[in-house]
């Protein structure tokens, strides 16, 4: 099973245009404070069927919803991910990140020319990102001239990353 929770403390979203035919939303600014987003995945419950069926994957949406955002600002946000289906208990090893049980706080984001779509593709210019994970790892500043994220690549071109222990620059593509 899965559980998802999202909340926004305060904020403003200004929408200039919502084109239902083109399936696009144009928002010159999204400015949100105290955003909380969490996901938890649990082991599937036993069922009476044979379990041999492979779930069918939906074909990609030929016209996904796209949001075009001029400026995106998030302050004091939090994100958590618990993969209880992968690792049933949280592990707390000092200074080590548990990727199955992430808890990120103090998230701050400033981005321009952001495009986000319902098929989970994102692009834009990242002016600032800061965040701290429960293990102590901290991104003090991340910026990138061009960011592309989808189901096959995460790429940051012209980026600068400052953590609580290092500084990296140039291009990062995973």
């Amino acid at each position: 099973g899965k559980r998802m929770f999202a909340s926004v403390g305060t904020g403003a979203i200004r929408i200039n245009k919502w084109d239902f035919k083109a399936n696009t939303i144009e928002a010159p600014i999204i400015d949100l404070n105290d955003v909380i987003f969490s996901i938890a995945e649990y082991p599937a419950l036993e069922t009476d069927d044979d379990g041999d069926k492979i779930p069918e994957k939906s074909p990609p949406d030929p016209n996904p919803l796209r949001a075009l955002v001029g400026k995106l600002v998030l302050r004091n946000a939090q994100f958590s991910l618990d993969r209880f289906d992968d690792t049933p208990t949280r592990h707390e090893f000092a200074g080590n990140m548990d990727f199955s049980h992430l808890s990120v706080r103090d998230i701050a984001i400033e981005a321009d020319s952001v495009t986000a779509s319902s098929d989970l593709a994102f692009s834009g210019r990242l002016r600032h990102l800061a965040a701290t994970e429960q293990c102590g790892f901290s991104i003090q500043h991340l910026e990138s001239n061009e960011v592309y994220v989808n189901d096959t690549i995460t790429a940051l071109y012209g980026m600068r990353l400052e953590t609580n222990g290092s500084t990296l620059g140039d291009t990062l593509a995973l």
Side-chain angles (χ1 to χ4, degrees):
K2 295 182 183 184
R3 179 184 54 97
M4 185 174 11
F5 173 81
S7 73
V8 176
T10 61
I13 300 174
R14 192 174 102 208
I15 296 175
N16 278 359
K17 182 178 179 184
W18 193 325
D19 186 334
F20 290 97
K21 191 171 187 172
N23 214 12
T24 59
I25 299 171
E26 294 178 14
I29 188 161
I30 296 177
D31 189 333
L32 305 174
N33 300 299
D34 303 316
V35 174
I36 299 172
F37 187 74
S38 67
I39 300 171
E41 297 189 25
Y42 299 91
L45 298 175
E46 299 281 328
T47 60
D48 292 335
D49 66 335
D50 4 349
D52 294 336
K53 297 177 187 174
I54 298 173
E56 292 183 28
K57 187 175 180 181
S58 306
D61 186 347
N63 188 22
L65 176 64
R66 289 185 331 128
L68 311 170
V69 180
K71 184 171 184 173
L72 172 66
V73 178
L74 295 178
R75 292 180 204 84
N76 196 36
Q78 299 174 42
F79 170 78
S80 65
L81 169 68
D82 282 305
R83 292 286 316 270
F84 294 112
D85 60 330
D86 182 44
T87 308
T89 57
R90 292 183 178 96
H91 300 286
E92 294 188 24
F93 303 111
N96 290 310
M97 193 175 303
D98 180 355
F99 289 95
S100 293
H101 302 282
L102 296 171
S103 179
V104 185
R105 66 183 181 350
D106 302 327
I107 301 170
I109 298 174
E110 293 178 28
D112 297 331
S113 304
V114 176
T115 300
S117 66
S118 60
D119 59 357
L120 301 179
F122 305 90
S123 65
R125 180 177 181 146
L126 183 62
R127 301 269 184 200
H128 176 71
L129 181 143
T132 301
E133 209 279 332
Q134 65 185 345
C135 71
F137 175 73
S138 176
I139 296 175
Q140 295 170 340
H141 178 73
L142 172 62
E143 66 182 66
S144 178
N145 293 330
E146 297 177 67
V147 175
Y148 298 99
V149 177
N150 61 36
D151 61 349
T152 58
I153 191 167
T154 297
L156 294 94
Y157 299 100
M159 71 104 183
R160 178 172 174 80
L161 169 64
E162 298 172 20
T163 71
N164 50 344
S166 63
T167 300
L168 301 171
D170 196 17
T171 297
L172 175 68
L174 306 170

